[in-house]
């Protein structure tokens, strides 16, 4: 798979851990994050990864900040992105099966490197189930387009 990864200053070490881990599995991982420890702004990297995924050049995106929260909220502001912040693999699995998440976000202050490995394994290897879940994803797209559901 081609994977876009991005992070703020808090996520640098976990980013490199995941890059190496995924490259060992034969994935192509492109770094859109910062490599500097100096404080910076996570929406910048959320936008880069979101747009990389939407370009169609990447199969999935991975984002890392301190909690995973800020960077996921920022990514979800980009039309077409469904970014799920996950701290364990069950949520990662369901984010794919039910929500067709195209980016996963993790918190470098919340989880360790082995948990992050399990989360990305599940995220990258689980398919969307479609069916009734597609209806709900379509409703989210409608909301994104300013439509009312009721
Ligand atoms: C940076 O201090 C921190 O706010 C950021 O990494 C992230 O946790 C925001 O949600």
């Amino acid at each position: 798979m081609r994977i876009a990864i991005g992070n703020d200053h808090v996520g640098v070490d976990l980013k490199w851990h995941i890059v190496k881990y995924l490259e060992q599995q034969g994935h192509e991982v492109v770094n859109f994050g910062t490599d500097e420890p100096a404080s910076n702004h996570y929406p910048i990297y959320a936008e880069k990864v979101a747009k990389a995924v939407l370009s169609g050049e990447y199969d999935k995106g991975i984002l890392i900040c301190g909690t995973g929260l800020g960077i996921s909220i920022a990514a979800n502001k980009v039309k077409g992105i469904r970014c799920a912040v996950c701290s364990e693999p069950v949520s990662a699995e369901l984010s794919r099966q039910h929500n067709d998440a195209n980016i996963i976000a993790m918190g470098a202050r919340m989880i360790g490197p082995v948990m992050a490995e399990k989360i990305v394994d599940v995220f990258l290897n689980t398919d969307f189930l479609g069916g009734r879940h597609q209806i709900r994803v379509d409703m989210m797209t409608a909301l994104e387009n300013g439509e009312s559901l009721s």
Side-chain angles (χ1 to χ4, degrees):
M1 269 189 207
R2 289 202 84 210
I3 297 155
I5 194 165
N7 59 284
D8 72 356
H9 55 292
V10 184
V12 175
D13 290 347
L14 185 58
K15 185 263 300 290
W16 287 122
H17 180 86
I18 293 299
V19 169
K20 285 179 198 146
Y21 177 72
L22 292 176
E23 285 178 346
Q24 280 166 5
Q25 295 180 23
H27 294 293
E28 186 182 347
V29 189
V30 176
N31 176 24
F32 290 88
T34 184
D35 301 330
E36 303 298 328
S39 181
N40 54 46
H41 307 302
Y42 54 80
I44 295 167
Y45 310 103
E47 181 190 15
K48 287 179 191 288
V49 168
K51 291 190 172 168
V53 170
L54 292 174
S55 75
E57 288 181 45
Y58 299 87
D59 299 296
K60 293 280 183 323
I62 298 172
L63 286 170
I64 303 169
C65 68
T67 58
L69 293 169
I71 209 158
S72 64
I73 293 169
N76 280 316
K77 302 292 181 193
V78 181
K79 200 169 173 176
I81 292 301
R82 290 177 300 280
C83 178
V85 55
C86 293
S87 298
E88 35 69 35
V90 178
S91 296
E93 183 176 30
L94 290 168
S95 80
R96 289 290 310 128
Q97 290 182 334
H98 289 200
N99 313 121
D100 199 18
N102 45 16
I103 299 180
I104 197 159
M106 297 181 290
R109 288 174 171 153
M110 314 307 289
I111 59 170
V114 176
M115 182 65 82
E117 291 175 8
K118 299 298 174 206
I119 289 168
V120 297
D121 276 344
V122 168
F123 179 68
L124 297 177
N125 293 300
T126 303
D127 291 330
F128 179 49
L129 291 176
R132 69 183 188 279
H133 304 295
Q134 183 64 59
I135 294 167
R136 295 155 189 170
V137 169
D138 290 344
M139 291 170 85
M140 291 193 281
T141 302
L143 283 175
E144 203 172 52
N145 291 328
E147 295 169 28
S148 173
L149 303 178
S150 53

